[in-house]
Amino acid sequence: MERIWLLLLLTIQVLSVTAQFNGYNCEANLHSRFPAERDISVYCGVQAITMKINFCTVLFSGYSETDLALNGKHGDAHCKGFINNNTFPAVVIFIINLSTLESCGSILVVSSVPGINAYGNVSVVQIGNVSGYIDTPDPPTIISYLPGLLYKFSCSYPLEYLVNNTQLASSSAAISVKENNGTFISTLSLLLYNDSTYSQLLVIPSIGLPLKTKIYAAVRATNLDGRWNVLMDYCYTTPSGNPNDELRYDLFFSCDKDPQTTVIENGKSQMGRFSFEVFRFVKHKNQKMSTVFLHCVTKLCRTDDCPFLAPICSNRERRDAVRRTTWSAQSTSGNAVISAGPIITRSDETPTNNSQLAHLNGSPFQLNSVTTALISGIVILGIMSIFFFVCSLTILRRKWPSSSVLGGVRNPVFN
């Protein structure tokens, strides 16, 4: 008889738990509690921020998924989440598109702070912080026996790239705070081009590029909304693919610029552009070809802020080249490098223009028609000059008086 009562009691408990969680993927022993800090996960993505909330603890607190909304926008269906019951535990998912984050009340705050960049110098770095909350509505009554649920979230995006804490729960409210870091590094790319129109990607022949070949480089942002521009902080080269290589040569840093480098566009759009001429590293002197890797430290800045972050440059002497190649990198959080390469150069050829790159694997250097005509003219003119010179000498020798016919009175002074 006691066994029958025990089985009946267990059956009633199972039915009550099933009724409480409504068949969702929850476990009574784990989720019969109010929400805590571990019940929200925040993913700071490039195009969207995704939040996942443990739905089981929401059910235990007496709410449903329709009671949760972004930033108190309970009357807006676009600010609601949706249930995913294919995971354990079941979760409510909220997605905030970064291009329209203000529509549901989330806040973007961009702050400028001084920091130490990878160069070891003080640099103004912008940090974008997106914050908001998810909560349940207040009841229309004076008192309530249900806890108010509040989930706070924050995503911090450091906007300088060198091409990624929770607390509090009380009996009167279940509060979860989640902060996370995101990065836009995957939206940035560094591409090399063969022409000033940036329409032909650079193809490096197997024998390498001739020295002083002009290369056009571009740091491009993709999949970002129009509020951001690309601002190149500085670009440098290394003989290896390691951006932290101790041996490096700067193309430009702030207002200091290599004489063969030209900054074409910077901070005015979602693409930064510059050009430079191919060189070789002296350490490769015993090699037929030299490898050069290009790296750029890049910031993303709001379009209104970029003019204030871009350096105002005047004629300044560039730093000594030795100093350029001896400093060591300092690790800083939030920094990453956009890289391209290798650029393979050769030192046994004369400089050529990019228009000649297509013929590098063909026949040797050939003279064009203008050069041929000019050389032919010089040769003919030289031959004619020699001919007239010989004729002139012959005529003069014929007219010169012979010593055998000389006569007259001898000069007495010579006596």
Side-chain angles (χ1 to χ4, degrees):
M1 190 66 180
E2 292 180 356
R3 290 182 179 181
I4 296 175
W5 281 107
L6 181 59
L7 291 174
L8 182 60
L9 180 60
L10 290 175
T11 302
I12 294 173
Q13 289 180 347
V14 170
L15 290 175
S16 63
V17 170
T18 303
Q20 181 182 16
F21 291 116
N22 297 323
Y24 288 104
N25 200 3
C26 303
E27 174 61 48
N29 294 331
L30 298 176
H31 304 127
S32 297
R33 57 176 177 79
F34 292 130
E37 63 272 7
R38 64 181 180 274
D39 291 325
I40 179 174
S41 300
V42 180
Y43 304 90
C44 304
V46 170
Q47 296 178 296
I49 298 174
T50 303
M51 290 157 292
K52 297 181 180 180
I53 294 177
N54 186 338
F55 185 50
C56 299
T57 55
V58 174
L59 288 173
F60 179 82
S61 302
Y63 295 99
S64 67
E65 77 280 3
T66 58
D67 294 320
L68 297 174
L70 282 166
N71 303 303
K73 304 282 187 178
H74 296 280
D76 190 342
H78 295 92
C79 301
K80 302 279 188 176
F82 61 92
I83 297 176
N84 181 7
N85 197 34
N86 295 324
T87 63
F88 181 83
V91 294
V92 182
I93 299 177
F94 289 83
I95 298 177
I96 301 176
N97 194 314
L98 290 181
S99 61
T100 58
L101 59 88
E102 291 90 350
S103 61
C104 284
S106 297
I107 301 174
L108 169 65
V109 177
V110 177
S111 57
S112 299
V113 296
I116 304 298
N117 57 29
Y119 221 123
N121 295 332
V122 176
S123 174
V124 176
V125 179
Q126 284 197 317
I127 298 177
N129 187 274
V130 180
S131 61
Y133 62 90
I134 300 169
D135 69 347
T136 52
D138 293 328
T141 58
I142 298 177
I143 65 170
S144 174
Y145 292 98
L146 295 178
L149 303 186
L150 178 64
Y151 303 87
K152 292 185 177 181
F153 64 89
S154 175
C155 276
S156 180
Y157 291 87
L159 301 179
E160 178 175 283
Y161 303 99
L162 187 73
V163 145
N164 320 44
N165 311 331
T166 64
Q167 57 186 340
L168 195 53
S170 66
S171 58
S172 61
I175 303 175
S176 296
V177 181
K178 191 69 175 180
E179 298 177 355
N180 211 336
N181 292 328
T183 176
F184 291 120
I185 187 70
S186 63
T187 71
L188 297 173
S189 59
L190 177 55
L191 302 175
L192 303 178
Y193 292 87
N194 192 44
D195 60 323
S196 59
T197 62
Y198 288 83
S199 58
Q200 299 178 4
L201 288 175
L202 178 67
V203 178
I204 301 176
S206 58
I207 59 175
L209 293 172
L211 298 177
K212 293 187 72 65
T213 298
K214 181 168 285 190
I215 291 179
Y216 297 87
V219 178
R220 188 189 303 270
T222 55
N223 299 322
L224 286 181
D225 60 88
R227 80 182 73 200
W228 306 108
N229 280 357
V230 168
L231 180 63
M232 298 178 296
D233 200 2
Y234 66 94
C235 293
Y236 63 95
T237 59
T238 59
S240 69
N242 179 16
N244 295 319
D245 197 321
E246 293 184 357
L247 181 61
R248 63 188 64 201
Y249 184 79
D250 297 341
L251 298 180
F252 65 88
F253 171 63
S254 186
C255 291
D256 293 310
K257 184 174 66 67
D258 175 81
Q260 310 303 325
T261 300
T262 302
V263 179
I264 301 171
E265 180 182 8
N266 195 17
K268 297 180 180 180
S269 68
Q270 292 194 344
M271 183 171 70
R273 299 181 297 161
F274 65 97
S275 66
F276 65 98
E277 293 184 359
V278 168
F279 55 86
R280 68 180 180 89
F281 280 98
V282 177
K283 68 173 292 185
H284 296 152
K285 62 181 179 180
N286 295 325
Q287 302 177 17
K288 187 175 182 180
M289 291 184 291
S290 176
T291 56
V292 177
F293 289 81
L294 178 62
H295 316 279
C296 282
V297 176
T298 304
K299 296 177 181 178
L300 292 177
C301 54
R302 289 192 301 186
T303 54
D304 295 338
D305 296 336
C306 281
F308 302 101
L309 295 175
I312 301 175
C313 301
S314 58
N315 294 329
R316 298 172 57 182
E317 296 181 357
R318 71 185 182 98
R319 287 166 298 172
D320 183 75
V322 175
R323 184 178 148 207
R324 290 173 179 269
T325 59
T326 56
W327 63 271
S328 59
Q330 300 181 12
S331 60
T332 56
S333 61
N335 285 352
V337 66
I338 314 293
S339 302
I343 302 170
I344 303 174
T345 66
R346 65 179 190 271
S347 58
D348 57 345
E349 294 286 342
T350 56
T352 64
N353 296 324
N354 284 349
S355 60
Q356 297 171 321
L357 293 180
H359 306 287
L360 287 177
N361 292 322
S363 59
F365 177 74
Q366 298 179 353
L367 298 176
N368 55 36
S369 58
V370 176
T371 305
T372 303
L374 181 60
I375 294 176
S376 301
I378 293 174
V379 172
I380 294 173
L381 182 62
I383 294 174
M384 292 180 64
S385 299
I386 294 173
F387 174 77
F388 283 118
F389 179 74
V390 173
C391 291
S392 300
L393 287 178
T394 303
I395 294 173
L396 288 174
R397 287 178 65 85
R398 289 178 180 177
K399 293 183 177 182
W400 195 266
S402 176
S403 59
S404 61
V405 297
L406 289 179
V409 181
R410 182 178 180 83
N411 191 337
V413 179
F414 296 157
N415 290 330

